[in-house]
Amino acid sequence: MRTNKNGERLKTFSYQDMVDSIENPQGKQTIINGATEEERKKAEAEREDPHAGLKAFLIIAFFIGAIISMAVFAQIDKVLCIATLGLVFFVIGTIAVLKDGISLDSLPILIMPVGGALMIAIPAMIVYNRETGGGVSISQRDIIRLIVICFAVIGLLMLTVPLTRHCAKMSRCSQTIMAKCIYEDIHFASHKDGMGRTHHYNIYCPTWQYELGDFIFVTREGVFGRNAPAIGDICEIRYDPNDPSYIYRPNINQEISEMIAGAIFLTISLTTFFVM
């Protein structure tokens, strides 16, 4: 388990622990993630949703219905099966985008609803053409090629989104400042290698403290990574002069790895399409 410089074990995210980590001997006003303490409490009160249980029930019912529908359509019409799978991707992606809002950080999430929309639109066009007398038939090979096209589009997005996001953030966050890492959130992740062995590791999301004028800004980076600074480290970060709570710490290695993954995804999809 990772520890800070004092040998203390890091914990999963706790807002109170993060607040306790703030260094403010002069008693300056503190802006945490773009809001004062009063604004944060007011926003939390407004976010309370009395219908949260009903919404969760409806989402679960939707997924159960989608799974049953896919099993039925797989026997009746494989085109409808693909469209139903696309609907699942579209709904999951749309919920994620609506929850987090559309921003530079949410661009990768848009891949899922876009891919889902393609998996809905193309089968819908085939069914419409067939029902209006076009007489288009679709074979298993055509179905596979249809799925491959959707994956190729997703791979293209995976290839272009990281660079687009990086350039946009560099342009917006035009000022630099030295900031101190005062807290880290931890997520536990795992993956399987080619031999089927499971590897466990931690990913970290640092929280930074920096001063501008009469204010202390405490901002959670919002991006998890394996190579995060230790608590107490001082690093250069970039911030938006019009909104100092919006920060960016460039991680070229992560951007390149995401683009490589997209390139591999796109290459495999195109190769499969033309070989078939």
Side-chain angles (χ1 to χ4, degrees):
M1 178 65 67
R2 190 171 180 175
T3 60
N4 62 18
K5 290 187 174 181
N6 296 324
E8 298 169 340
R9 178 178 174 179
L10 295 179
K11 306 174 182 178
T12 53
F13 182 74
S14 165
Y15 180 83
Q16 188 57 50
D17 286 348
M18 185 265 289
V19 171
D20 292 341
S21 301
I22 298 174
E23 300 175 1
N24 187 14
Q26 298 178 348
K28 293 184 177 181
Q29 184 174 10
T30 304
I31 309 295
I32 302 177
N33 293 325
T36 63
E37 183 66 17
E38 293 75 15
E39 292 171 338
R40 186 189 68 85
K41 290 181 179 179
K42 181 179 179 181
E44 284 188 348
E46 293 176 349
R47 280 199 301 265
E48 292 182 359
D49 189 356
H51 305 295
L54 177 60
K55 291 179 179 178
F57 172 78
L58 292 176
I59 291 174
I60 294 173
F62 166 77
F63 284 118
I64 294 176
I67 293 173
I68 296 174
S69 299
M70 288 175 60
V72 174
F73 289 147
Q75 305 298 322
I76 300 175
D77 192 334
K78 293 183 174 61
V79 174
L80 296 178
C81 181
I82 295 174
T84 305
L85 178 60
L87 179 62
V88 172
F89 287 155
F90 181 78
V91 170
I92 294 175
T94 301
I95 291 175
V97 170
L98 292 177
K99 179 181 178 182
D100 298 331
I102 298 178
S103 65
L104 293 175
D105 293 321
S106 69
L107 285 180
I109 302 176
L110 290 173
I111 294 175
M112 184 171 288
V114 170
L118 287 172
M119 295 178 70
I120 296 172
I122 298 177
M125 292 174 60
I126 295 174
V127 172
Y128 175 79
N129 188 53
R130 187 172 60 194
E131 294 298 324
T132 53
V136 176
S137 60
I138 183 168
S139 63
Q140 185 175 359
R141 179 173 177 270
D142 294 328
I143 292 174
I144 296 175
R145 296 189 73 175
L146 173 61
I147 296 175
V148 167
I149 290 174
C150 296
F151 282 132
V153 173
I154 294 175
L156 181 62
L157 291 173
M158 292 172 63
L159 177 63
T160 57
V161 163
L163 181 60
T164 302
R165 182 183 59 205
H166 171 74
C167 293
K169 285 190 172 185
M170 290 292 289
S171 176
R172 176 176 177 180
C173 299
S174 57
Q175 303 295 319
T176 60
I177 192 171
M178 301 306 294
K180 183 176 183 179
C181 178
I182 63 169
Y183 189 81
E184 281 186 333
D185 186 7
I186 301 177
H187 279 183
F188 305 100
S190 64
H191 76 277
K192 290 187 177 181
D193 59 21
M195 303 297 293
R197 294 171 297 190
T198 301
H199 298 269
H200 300 275
Y201 55 92
N202 301 334
I203 53 177
Y204 307 92
C205 178
T207 295
W208 300 95
Q209 176 177 327
Y210 48 101
E211 295 187 28
L212 288 170
D214 296 328
F215 297 92
I216 289 179
F217 289 87
V218 177
T219 306
R220 188 167 178 259
E221 192 166 294
V223 178
F224 282 85
R226 298 184 67 175
N227 298 318
I231 293 178
D233 283 356
I234 298 177
C235 302
E236 182 181 86
I237 63 172
R238 304 179 69 90
Y239 70 93
D240 180 355
N242 298 316
D243 181 11
S245 290
Y246 188 91
I247 64 173
Y248 179 51
R249 187 170 60 97
N251 188 342
I252 301 301
N253 292 334
Q254 181 173 340
E255 306 290 346
I256 292 176
S257 63
E258 292 178 1
M259 294 176 65
I260 291 175
I264 294 174
F265 209 78
L266 179 62
T267 301
I268 293 176
S269 298
L270 292 178
T271 301
T272 303
F273 180 84
F274 287 111
V275 167
M276 290 188 62

